[in-house]
Amino acid sequence: MLPKMLTMLPAFFSYFAVASVLLVVFLLIYVNVTPYDEIALIRQGNTAASISLSGAILGFAMPVANVIAHSDTLGDLAAWGALAGVIQLMTYLVARFALPHLTEDIPAGKIAPAIFLAALSLTVGLINAACMTY
């Protein structure tokens, strides 16, 4: 078992590195698409910002994890991961359309819209992950 595990370590580190880069890129884009600074709000103790950003991260991570489990190449992971990021960004835009005051509610610390956004992000991420099974 140990020799087989050692031979698989390079693949593990490769997939983990690509997934980590995808996550960082997604976060950088996501926090720049939203009109409020989630990181600063979270540092100030804003629970709504933490809930909504956590939902987006998890909604992105689920399809990426599924692709890692089913893909053959790092290129597959990068391509499907990029698509997962785009879908999460579109999910945020749909939530903004559905809740026109979202851009004011999250900085104001309103929990209900944050939970809705997080649940929507998780739901879309779960459906996205299921669609990426091949």
Side-chain angles (χ1 to χ4, degrees):
M1 181 170 147
L2 185 60
K4 182 179 180 183
M5 190 173 114
L6 290 174
T7 61
M8 296 180 73
L9 274 177
F12 166 81
F13 286 122
S14 297
Y15 277 87
F16 191 84
V18 171
S20 296
V21 168
L22 285 167
L23 178 61
V24 168
V25 169
F26 169 73
L27 275 172
L28 288 173
I29 293 170
Y30 189 88
V31 299
N32 283 294
V33 166
T34 60
Y36 40 84
D37 187 351
E38 285 97 339
I39 304 302
L41 291 169
I42 292 167
R43 287 182 179 147
Q44 295 167 5
N46 185 314
T47 304
S50 181
I51 291 169
S52 64
L53 185 59
S54 296
I57 291 169
L58 290 169
F60 173 75
M62 286 188 294
V64 169
N66 192 46
V67 169
I68 290 170
H70 296 99
S71 69
D72 295 328
T73 67
L74 293 173
D76 283 348
L77 172 57
W80 288 110
L83 180 60
V86 168
I87 290 171
Q88 279 300 314
L89 292 170
M90 291 185 338
T91 301
Y92 171 75
L93 296 175
V94 167
R96 268 188 75 178
F97 180 75
L99 301 172
H101 298 289
L102 185 65
T103 60
E104 299 143 15
D105 291 345
I106 299 295
K110 293 185 178 178
I111 302 297
I115 292 171
F116 174 77
L117 177 56
L120 185 62
S121 297
L122 289 168
T123 301
V124 169
L126 184 61
I127 292 168
N128 191 9
C131 292
M132 290 185 181
T133 301
Y134 48 98

